Amino acid sequence: MATETHAPTTSVDLEIEGMTCASCANRIERKLNKLDGVTATVNFATEKAHVNAPAGTDTAALIDAVQQAGYAAHVPAPAGEGADGEPSGRTHEPADALRQRLLISAALTVPVIAMAMIPALQFDYWQWLSLTLAAPVVVWGALPFHRAAWTNLKHGTATMDTLVSIGTLAAFGWSIYALFWGAAGVTGMTHPFSFTIERMDGTANIYLEAAAGVTTFILAGRYFEAKSKRQAGAALRALLELGAKDAAVLRDGVETQIPIGELAVGDEFVVRPGEKIATDGTVVAGQSAIDASLLTGESVPVEVRPGDTVTGATVNAGGRLVIRATRVGADTQLAQMSRLVEDAQAGKAKAQRLADRISGVFVPIVIAIAVGALGFWLGTGQSASMALTAAVSVLIIACPCALGLATPTALLVGTGRGAQLGILIKGPEALESTRTVDTVVLDKTGTVTTGVMKLQAVHAAADETETDVLAMAGALEAASEHPIARAIAQAAQHRGTLAAVEQFVNVPGLGVQGMVDDRAVVAGRPVLLEDWAMPLPDALRAEFDEAQRRGQTAIAVGWDGAARGVLVVSDEIKPTSADAVARLKRLGLRPIMLTGDNEPAARFIADQVGIDEVIAEVLPEQKVDAVRRLQGEGRSVAMVGDGVNDAAALAQSDLGIAMGTGTDAAIEAADLTLVSGDLRTVVDAIRLSRRTLSTIKTNLFWAFAYNLAALPLAAAALLTPMLAGAAMALSSVFVVSNSLRLRGFRPQK
């Protein structure tokens, strides 16, 4: 029996230009998948294609396939080489160009609509001024729709762009016909806004307001969509900007400042206190505490010494270090996290809008009805003018003005109300996930807790007072920059003035020592006190062990030959976290704590706030795996976090929620952002998102319902183009009014 062999494959990412809706992405996907051995997925949201092809496949062949589908493609620039730090070299031109097109079109459209709807403004020859103002809107303003419609025609397909283009050109073309060859161009012509249903040839009316209005409304929807989409690479930019920009490399014993891009594996570089570590490496000389909370979420700094590994973008919080680079560029942990975020975002490629899915059927039907109405009335002996009126009415009533407003208006009102409540919603894709979410994964540090170390307890020996113990320890620790030392010093300062410290010495990895009020004071690990012949008595040892069991940090203090006390420091729980967890449960959601902290610390915090399930001691990439595992169990997962270490998990989750008090990378990777950092807002964010999504779906339903109900009347020549335009306007009014109801959303009491 022959053994089945699998040819080696390679992955290629392409940036796609020219897509206007999800059906464009589907067309490119189908075109790429027709190539031998190629499996492709196209992400409309990020405008990227991820292609798995046989090894040795020419990238030019893939780009050519995309071009044959009517779109442009190119290989992304390497991370960090784009303009302004953009990872893929994208620019903001599409959104900026749309904004300019929208503003100019709106300025020209407003007077056209006003003159058409208000008879008092219809002076002699007003119709010719309307033509002058509307022509640039229909020709230049709607140019993106005309181009897309032409591309669709060449490939034998139709999208909403096709309907927008045909509808606006039909209304505009009919108006020109009525002005030059009908009765609409005569002096003193007026245009009453009538709602009568009657058969007429329509050559005395112009419909420039319908053509210009539809164009401007759809442009507005496209602009808000483009503005949202251009944020797709922001998470990657935020991650890349975390890294150091240069490094102090040792060359022949002399420090030389070089850009981070010139750093090579094996180079030794110096990191001073407060500086970021340039890249992943191994400590060669020096001892210090490394603040890795930005990447790992671990609130307690990690002590390092020669031989220990360190990660790029973490901060040196202690002494001078000499580090040998072991990984640079795309191989570093920071770069790997950037790829994790990008991969997770690409996994959301299948989120398509309802209007785009239906358009594949709706648009051809509308065009067929318009052509059928034209042929029918011509065949029954009616005048060409009346037949054309029926056909144009069909196209105008079906023109998706309300569809273009359905999503943007609900988003504008919903996101505006959310902003008032401290909730930032990214877009419709974020809302779609809230409907099915049943599990909420909560990061610990900075989300459930404040992320700031604070003194929790002072335990004094039998013959000492807590005040004296805290005063002596605080005075000594005030000379240190360590976060734990700062927590103790700040607590001591609140109770009184600190004494001066002399002969201060930092013992790396063990603690500190110095002279306070002519007394030799030692603070740190018990082993340091034992070196000074000051072992902990049983009572203090019990308190020290209990703090360790809870995952808290305990500091022993001694002077004058005896251990005098134990101070307990830990990350503080936010006062609203327990209430927030209870609200999540009442909403029917299952809370889970996910953290890089050790199991005892995580379990202690979880018990305090009412969380039953804990996943502890996970690295950033393992957080992504944990979310995937929950999704593999059939759960729809919302992830709440604040750190860079949460960014990839936020992007992987069905609904990413970032605390606004966290890092830019986490905020940009998330679907929702909570400005206040109050965990209770998560419940309101989910409720508001679901309400907004429901409003969008209601808008889409009624936008289609209006069109479908009126199409038979238009085809029967019982709707003039003017009445068709009015019905289209009414559907838009309904959509806007329905969206405005979101302003009444109230937070949960």
Coordinates of all heavy atoms in Angstrom, one line a residue, residues 46 75 104 244 250 452 456 483 587 603 666 713:
T46 N -9.4 43.7 7.7 CA -8.0 44.1 7.7 C -7.4 44.3 6.3 O -6.3 44.7 6.2 CB -7.1 43.2 8.5 OG1 -7.2 41.9 7.9 CG2 -7.6 43.1 9.9
V75 N 2.8 42.5 -1.4 CA 3.4 41.8 -0.2 C 3.6 42.9 0.8 O 4.2 44.0 0.5 CB 4.7 41.1 -0.5 CG1 5.3 40.5 0.8 CG2 4.5 40.0 -1.6
I104 N -17.4 67.5 0.4 CA -17.8 68.2 -0.8 C -19.1 67.8 -1.3 O -20.0 68.7 -1.6 CB -16.7 68.0 -1.8 CG1 -15.3 68.7 -1.4 CG2 -17.1 68.7 -3.2 CD1 -14.2 68.4 -2.3
A244 N 12.6 49.3 22.9 CA 13.6 50.4 22.9 C 13.9 50.8 21.5 O 13.9 50.0 20.6 CB 14.8 49.9 23.7
L250 N 28.5 47.4 23.9 CA 29.9 47.4 24.3 C 30.8 46.9 23.1 O 30.7 45.8 22.7 CB 30.1 46.5 25.5 CG 29.6 47.0 26.8 CD1 29.7 45.9 27.9 CD2 30.3 48.3 27.3
V452 N -1.2 48.0 41.5 CA -0.2 48.7 42.3 C 0.0 48.1 43.6 O -1.0 47.7 44.3 CB -0.8 50.2 42.5 CG1 0.2 51.0 43.4 CG2 -1.0 50.9 41.2
Q456 N -0.4 45.8 53.1 CA -1.6 45.2 53.6 C -1.7 45.0 55.1 O -2.7 45.1 55.7 CB -1.9 43.8 52.9 CG -1.9 43.9 51.3 CD -3.1 44.7 50.8 OE1 -4.1 44.9 51.5 NE2 -3.0 45.3 49.6
P483 N 9.6 48.7 43.6 CA 8.1 48.9 43.8 C 7.6 48.5 45.2 O 6.8 49.1 45.8 CB 7.5 48.1 42.7 CG 8.5 48.1 41.6 CD 9.8 48.0 42.3
L587 N -26.0 38.2 34.9 CA -26.3 38.3 33.4 C -26.2 37.0 32.7 O -26.4 36.9 31.5 CB -25.2 39.3 32.8 CG -25.6 39.9 31.5 CD1 -26.8 40.8 31.6 CD2 -24.4 40.8 31.0
R603 N -5.6 32.4 43.4 CA -6.7 31.8 44.1 C -7.2 32.7 45.3 O -8.4 32.8 45.5 CB -6.3 30.4 44.7 CG -7.3 29.7 45.5 CD -8.6 29.4 44.7 NE -8.4 28.6 43.5 CZ -9.3 28.3 42.6 NH1 -10.5 28.9 42.8 NH2 -9.1 27.5 41.6
A666 N -3.2 46.7 24.3 CA -4.4 46.0 24.8 C -5.7 46.7 24.3 O -6.6 46.1 23.8 CB -4.4 45.9 26.3
L713 N -45.3 48.0 -6.4 CA -46.0 49.3 -6.8 C -45.2 50.0 -7.8 O -45.8 50.6 -8.8 CB -46.3 50.1 -5.5 CG -47.2 49.6 -4.4 CD1 -47.2 50.5 -3.2 CD2 -48.6 49.4 -5.0

